Amino acid sequence: EHLEERNQILECALSDLRERNHELDQILYRSSHDIRGPIASIQGILYLLKSEHAQLPSNILKTYIIQIESQIAKMYNLSKELNDLSAVMNLSPEEALIDLKSFISEIISELELHKNHTNVSVFYKLREGMVLKVADENLLRTAVKSVLENAYDYRDGDRLGFIEIDAAMSGTNQWSISI
């Protein structure tokens, strides 16, 4: 009986490991696919530059350089997201009480400092002192940071951008945060 119980525990652990491995395989597959696109673009642009370098006017060269920089930025962002994901997966969950507005303001300040974002206004529709109990502060930080980075990175060019942040209770002890 004791052996059967131990065997069942091992089977559950093995099943969990298989599920996690499948999830990691999916992440790796998508990530490798996402990174191949920018690499192929850079290779194509470099091919054009090599084959046409003598005849290209400076404005065309500048356009190609901007396209290469854009593709490199995509690869950099993807590698950063993978690194962030890896870090979160290796951390133990940290249950915490957080002041939501302060928590999000801290992330925005960090993004503005490191990414030099301008022309974006942030509007908080949060009540002052809105304190939430979260099961994993690191995971929430990574998720919120990723969504905010996308809001900054994929806004419409140099036009003034707007980010609106709200939260509402959506069930018993469940909150919905919208950005």
Side-chain angles (χ1 to χ4, degrees):
E1 186 175 311
H2 180 67
L3 185 58
E4 287 178 25
E5 183 179 312
R6 293 295 235 173
N7 200 20
Q8 186 177 7
I9 291 170
L10 286 173
E11 287 294 329
C12 285
L14 185 59
S15 176
D16 288 345
L17 284 174
R18 283 187 186 125
E19 186 177 323
R20 286 186 67 107
N21 279 341
H22 177 72
E23 290 171 2
L24 289 173
D25 285 344
Q26 293 298 311
I27 290 169
L28 287 173
Y29 174 79
R30 283 190 298 259
S31 300
S32 67
H33 184 268
D34 288 348
I35 210 164
R36 274 188 239 138
I39 290 172
S41 293
I42 290 171
Q43 286 175 323
I45 293 167
L46 290 174
Y47 174 79
L48 291 173
L49 286 172
K50 282 190 229 175
S51 64
E52 302 175 12
H53 73 281
Q55 308 102 286
L56 290 176
S58 63
N59 65 330
I60 299 293
L61 280 173
K62 186 175 182 179
T63 300
Y64 284 162
I65 290 169
I66 290 169
Q67 289 174 349
I68 289 172
E69 288 173 336
S70 170
Q71 298 304 316
I72 289 171
K74 286 180 185 177
M75 289 188 303
Y76 174 81
N77 288 336
L78 179 62
S79 68
K80 186 178 175 318
E81 289 171 7
L82 289 171
N83 190 46
D84 290 348
L85 176 64
S86 174
V88 167
M89 291 181 76
N90 291 320
L91 292 173
S92 298
E94 284 185 30
E95 189 175 282
L97 291 174
I98 61 165
D99 178 295
L100 190 58
K101 186 172 183 179
S102 297
F103 179 80
I104 293 175
S105 294
E106 180 183 308
I107 294 169
I108 288 173
S109 295
E110 180 183 326
L111 290 174
E112 288 174 344
L113 177 68
H114 293 296
K115 290 187 153 271
N116 195 24
H117 286 297
T118 56
N119 291 335
V120 176
S121 295
V122 179
F123 298 97
Y124 295 94
K125 294 177 80 177
L126 305 170
R127 292 188 325 264
E128 289 294 327
M130 184 182 285
V131 177
L132 308 178
K133 182 177 183 178
V134 295
D136 189 344
E137 182 178 359
N138 292 318
L139 185 58
L140 180 62
R141 181 175 302 280
T142 300
V144 169
K145 186 175 180 182
S146 180
V147 170
L148 287 168
E149 280 179 327
N150 286 339
Y152 279 107
D153 292 343
Y154 298 108
R155 66 186 172 85
D156 188 15
D158 293 330
R159 291 180 46 200
L160 181 62
F162 298 95
I163 297 174
E164 184 176 280
I165 301 167
D166 196 4
M169 193 160 217
S170 60
T172 307
N173 294 326
Q174 292 182 356
W175 285 84
S176 174
I177 301 171
S178 60
I179 299 174

